[in-house]
Amino acid sequence: PQKAVLFKGSVRENLLMGNENATEQDMEEALKLSESYEFVSQKNGYLDFELEPGGKNLSGGQKQRLTIARAVVKDPDILILDDSASALDFATDASLRAALKGMHGDKTIFIVSQRTSSIQFADNIIVLDDGQMVGFGPHEKLLETCETYKEIYDSQFKKESDMTRQKEV
């Protein structure tokens, strides 16, 4: 979901809400795929680490990754991620997208995002403007044919390159 929702209880209990029949190995694979394994394995109790209501004892990015793990542990044929990487840094977002591409089986993944870096390697992108579709196709085609997409892409990558330049100074 767009808002990461975790429940009071252990990491294990939250993952089992996605798949009540998940094995420990299933949960571990979901944690790895969602880029959650590293931080969860460092928590006291690992899968039995107790989450506060709403996951208040985790960062925003950690909460988002655990909700993705809960969805992934179900092994769905269709996975819809609604702005689920907004609290992730660009490197973690890229690692997550690469891991999702490597999921077992034939999966359909929809990624809803305002970050062009999160979607530019998708097979196809649907560009919406005020609820209307104004573009459809792969990244390169949209840069050539969709002014709305090009404006969004240029504005985001200009900001990123400006931020990088400022850090270098």
Side-chain angles (χ1 to χ4, degrees):
Q2 194 170 49
K3 184 174 192 250
V5 178
L6 293 170
F7 305 98
K8 183 178 184 335
S10 68
V11 170
R12 179 187 314 274
E13 291 167 330
N14 273 266
L15 292 177
L16 288 173
M17 287 180 190
N19 178 358
E20 63 187 27
N21 298 314
T23 65
E24 192 139 336
Q25 182 180 350
D26 294 335
M27 289 185 266
E28 193 168 288
E29 286 178 18
L31 290 173
K32 287 177 180 176
L33 193 135
S34 68
E35 298 294 313
S36 303
Y37 181 78
E38 186 177 332
F39 78 84
V40 171
S41 66
Q42 294 174 0
K43 298 289 185 188
N44 189 20
Y46 180 50
L47 288 173
D48 297 318
F49 175 72
E50 286 292 317
L51 301 172
E52 294 179 8
K56 290 182 181 170
N57 52 341
L58 299 175
S59 72
Q62 290 172 335
K63 288 190 275 191
Q64 280 188 326
R65 287 179 277 169
L66 272 182
T67 59
I68 292 169
R70 185 174 57 216
V72 166
V73 79
K74 188 174 179 78
D75 193 26
D77 292 329
I78 298 173
L79 182 62
I80 301 172
L81 302 172
D82 186 1
D83 213 16
S84 59
S86 61
L88 303 182
D89 61 63
F90 288 102
T92 304
D93 182 23
S95 294
L96 173 64
R97 283 183 281 108
L100 289 171
K101 270 193 154 188
M103 284 178 72
H104 304 271
D106 192 20
K107 308 285 184 206
T108 300
I109 302 173
F110 291 91
I111 299 174
V112 179
S113 182
Q114 296 177 32
R115 279 187 187 173
T116 55
S117 62
S118 294
I119 58 170
Q120 69 183 13
F121 299 108
D123 295 335
N124 284 298
I125 300 166
I126 300 170
V127 182
L128 300 176
D129 187 10
D130 203 20
Q132 300 295 312
M133 186 172 87
V134 295
F136 177 81
H139 170 76
E140 293 301 325
K141 176 184 174 194
L142 289 172
L143 285 176
E144 296 171 10
T145 62
C146 181
E147 193 58 36
T148 302
Y149 184 80
K150 185 173 175 4
E151 286 174 11
I152 295 167
Y153 178 82
D154 287 345
S155 71
Q156 291 177 2
F157 277 86
K158 182 179 184 319
K159 285 180 185 176
E160 288 175 23
S161 61
D162 288 349
M163 287 172 39
T164 303
R165 230 179 279 116
Q166 287 175 355
K167 287 180 184 176
E168 291 172 355
V169 174

